[in-house]
Amino acid sequence: MIEIKHHGATSGVTGSCHELSLKMGSDEKRARFSSDPDLDAAPEFEGPHHGILIDCGLFQGQDEGREASAADLTIDFPIDHIRALVVTHVHIDHVGRIPYLLAAGFQGPIICSEPSAVMLPEILEDALKIGFTRDRNLIERVLGLIRERVVPVPYGQWHPVFDEGECSLSVRLQRAGHILGSAYVECDARTGDVEERIVFSGDLGAPHSPLLPEPKSPERADRLVIESTYGDRDHEDRETRRDRLRVVLENALADGGTVLIPAFSIGRTQELLYEIEGIIAGASGNVKMGSDGKRGRFSSGPEFGADSEIASTSGFDWESLEIVVDSPLAANFTQIYRDLKPFWDAEAQELVRSGRHPLSFEQLTVIDSHEDHLNAVDYLAKSHRPCVVLAGSGMCAGGRVVNYLKAMLGDKRNDVLFVGYQAAGTPGHDILTFGPRGGWVELDGERFDIRARVHQVGGYSAHAGQSDLLRFVEGIPVAPKEIRIVHGDSGAKVAFKELLEARVGSRVPIPAPGV
Ligand SMILES: [Zn+2]
């Protein structure tokens, strides 16, 4: 019997965690022993039972500020038979519970793509510091365990997980185009004479993502487990978004203020840097290359240096623009993204070959230490030089972006630009809603009037839209007999289920957790 189960993901606290388990069940037994006169004497034969987990995440999203208690996160399902964990990508809602899985006694390897193998310990170190423990030794021990267990597997290559005679399982990772290193997982499972190809989508990206190639449909999927974050809608046009971003930035920067972009550290920040470098290059035809970004120049005031011979046609001098990434995690991941150039898409590789450095250009400054951060906030609040600051968190619910907001919201020369979804109840949502009406926002218990202008540019989601998801499914040559919809709010799931039933004709259950 080849069985799919779903642990968590809809309980509000835990993130994605799916199980694929194989056992010699009664059906296979009956078939095999149908000619065996002794079968009746041994009807309860139980064969070996082996399984894998796909992702082990911690919920993040609508309840960003909500504290999950350790008890909520403890692994509450049997894992004795789990032989490996396969990680689709390193977002916390897919990997955040790995420390709890290890604490529960999981002994197997952690299988992931080569870029994810580099990023996983980094992202978990950050998560451990924030939510797991302050004990440095314990953090080091957990990270040591994770580094030991990680097994990087190249895209497109079959990797045997177990072969126990009656039961065997191999997995293959394919590019998912969601963040660097993201993968969907193809599983070839066999129990006795029964063989099946089961595909877990993880999170799928959309076409025209900066740096990432778009996902290709699997060549076969007897059963498919797919996300449906945007199962009910498409994104704003992704092809024109760079132009829309350019126009907003040009207008925002014309009065010499700061444009603050609240952005998630992993993926979004690097995509925006890539886009901004493209805008600067397009406008000035002359992007100077930095070596690896400069750190901490704000300790003695920035050196806005670029002598600008070439101005853009709109009159805005792009070369005088300073770009600041203020987040230790984003700084770290920007460096990792640079190191992982071989995994960038063809367009980005071509830029590198032509001498461009999309993630380390001349105007980019990366801020790491808290002291430099405070200096930067202070300096930029008073300065009259145009500057773009990227800082987390993406929904303004915490992180360094909050200090910038406090210092800058009151000045109409400044602008806040949202590129991501703002969940109800977050300061980001309030700024977006009340900012344009001259309202206020509460930050750390204090009211701040919003005189800065507020903008939103769509089309930067790292998730596939409804048509992208449908294209992924319809590209499978033979329609899967079952498509399980996981990940996404219930409206999105139901809409996508109805669409798939009408268009593909598969059975489309929406499983509850633990089923
Ligand atoms: Zn994700």
Side-chain angles (χ1 to χ4, degrees):
M1 194 163 53
I2 300 169
E3 211 179 356
I4 305 170
K5 286 184 188 166
H6 309 279
H7 304 294
T10 56
S11 67
V13 184
T14 56
S16 271
C17 185
H18 311 292
E19 177 180 336
L20 179 63
S21 60
L22 280 59
K23 58 185 157 198
M24 286 297 287
S26 48
D27 290 350
E28 289 92 338
K29 284 302 306 168
R30 215 165 287 127
R32 175 151 311 183
F33 293 95
S34 56
S35 58
D36 186 339
D38 291 335
L39 178 62
D40 284 349
E44 292 305 316
F45 175 87
E46 263 289 310
H49 181 197
H50 307 291
I52 58 170
L53 293 180
I54 290 89
D55 291 338
C56 196
L58 183 63
F59 183 81
Q60 272 195 328
Q62 297 235 316
D63 295 332
E64 201 174 289
R66 176 175 164 180
E67 287 283 310
S69 78
D72 292 332
L73 302 175
T74 304
I75 301 295
D76 56 357
F77 49 87
I79 58 162
D80 290 348
H81 62 292
I82 297 298
R83 304 285 295 271
L85 166 69
V86 184
V87 166
T88 62
H89 66 289
V90 303
H91 275 152
I92 282 296
D93 60 338
H94 292 256
V95 300
R97 275 215 292 177
I98 291 178
Y100 295 88
L101 186 65
L102 295 172
F106 170 67
Q107 300 286 342
I110 301 171
I111 296 168
C112 61
S113 71
E114 293 166 298
S116 290
V118 176
M119 295 191 280
L120 186 63
E122 302 291 332
I123 183 79
L124 285 177
E125 178 172 5
D126 195 66
L128 285 166
K129 278 191 227 157
I130 294 166
F132 193 69
T133 176
R134 286 178 204 280
D135 180 345
R136 191 65 231 174
N137 288 333
L138 182 55
I139 289 176
E140 280 308 323
R141 274 212 306 283
V142 175
L143 290 176
L145 263 184
I146 289 164
R147 288 195 185 94
E148 255 170 48
R149 300 286 183 81
V150 162
V151 177
V153 174
Y155 286 117
Q157 279 185 23
W158 283 106
H159 178 84
V161 181
F162 56 81
D163 185 350
E164 303 284 340
E166 299 289 355
C167 297
S168 70
L169 183 75
S170 297
V171 296
R172 186 167 68 173
L173 304 178
Q174 302 284 11
R175 283 170 171 268
H178 170 60
I179 59 168
L180 203 64
S182 63
Y184 67 82
V185 187
E186 300 173 301
C187 305
D188 264 358
R190 181 183 59 81
T191 59
D193 301 328
V194 180
E195 279 183 62
E196 219 183 335
R197 171 81 55 90
I198 296 148
V199 176
F200 294 84
S201 76
D203 285 353
L204 294 170
H208 310 295
S209 290
L211 295 165
L212 300 171
E214 66 183 283
K216 294 196 179 78
S217 302
E219 60 190 25
R220 179 186 157 199
D222 302 317
R223 281 192 274 177
L224 172 66
V225 176
I226 191 167
E227 67 125 330
S228 65
T229 311
Y230 287 93
D232 56 347
R233 59 196 186 280
D234 278 329
H235 299 303
E236 253 182 83
D237 182 13
R238 293 172 71 84
E239 288 177 69
T240 61
R241 65 187 175 173
R242 185 182 285 186
D243 286 333
R244 285 181 282 126
L245 179 65
R246 180 180 53 78
V247 169
V248 170
L249 287 178
E250 265 174 6
N251 291 331
L253 293 162
D255 56 4
T258 295
V259 177
L260 191 55
I261 309 182
F264 192 52
S265 306
I266 304 163
R268 185 66 57 77
T269 294
Q270 293 74 29
E271 289 181 16
L272 285 167
L273 289 178
Y274 181 84
E275 293 283 86
I276 292 169
E277 192 270 353
I279 291 170
I280 296 173
S284 71
N286 179 19
V287 179
K288 294 186 175 162
M289 290 147 232
S291 47
D292 58 351
K294 301 156 302 235
R295 286 168 186 263
R297 296 193 312 170
F298 282 88
S299 49
S300 56
E303 301 154 9
F304 293 104
D307 47 315
S308 47
E309 322 89 70
I310 307 169
S312 81
T313 47
S314 67
F316 179 72
D317 176 11
W318 283 96
E319 285 223 3
S320 68
L321 176 65
E322 190 84 2
I323 318 288
V324 173
V325 172
D326 190 346
S327 149
L329 191 62
N332 193 7
F333 273 87
T334 303
Q335 183 58 50
I336 291 174
Y337 260 65
R338 283 179 201 140
D339 294 344
L340 292 170
K341 271 193 199 82
F343 296 93
W344 294 5
D345 70 358
E347 181 195 285
Q349 305 261 10
E350 187 51 43
L351 289 185
V352 173
R353 269 196 295 278
S354 73
R356 299 248 302 269
H357 290 222
L359 296 184
S360 52
F361 46 101
E362 172 79 10
Q363 292 99 326
L364 175 63
T365 299
V366 174
I367 294 178
D368 199 335
S369 80
H370 191 69
E371 192 192 344
D372 288 343
H373 158 67
L374 295 177
N375 283 330
V377 172
D378 201 41
Y379 178 84
L380 290 172
K382 292 177 198 143
S383 111
H384 286 251
R385 302 295 298 264
C387 183
V388 173
V389 177
L390 293 114
S393 73
M395 299 192 202
C396 310
R400 290 186 174 179
V401 77
V402 175
N403 283 337
Y404 283 99
L405 289 167
K406 288 177 181 172
M408 292 182 173
L409 279 178
D411 186 339
K412 64 177 173 35
R413 286 179 307 121
N414 298 323
D415 296 72
V416 184
L417 169 58
F418 291 102
V419 289
Y421 174 70
Q422 303 300 311
T426 60
H429 186 265
D430 287 352
I431 293 168
L432 195 54
T433 310
F434 303 114
R437 304 180 208 163
W440 49 267
V441 61
E442 194 177 297
L443 298 166
D444 294 337
E446 213 185 313
R447 280 188 186 191
F448 290 84
D449 289 330
I450 307 169
R451 293 193 196 90
R453 286 167 299 180
V454 179
H455 318 264
Q456 188 169 34
V457 173
Y460 279 96
S461 173
H463 282 276
Q466 187 191 59
S467 338
D468 307 319
L469 291 170
L470 184 64
R471 204 166 38 245
F472 183 82
V473 175
E474 289 190 323
I476 304 170
V478 177
K481 64 178 192 273
E482 181 184 89
I483 302 174
R484 292 176 171 232
I485 298 182
V486 294
H487 216 291
D489 65 36
S490 58
K493 285 180 181 169
V494 170
F496 193 47
K497 170 188 165 77
E498 286 168 359
L499 182 67
L500 286 178
E501 282 171 342
R503 292 283 295 264
V504 185
S506 308
R507 189 155 34 92
V508 189
I510 300 177
V515 176

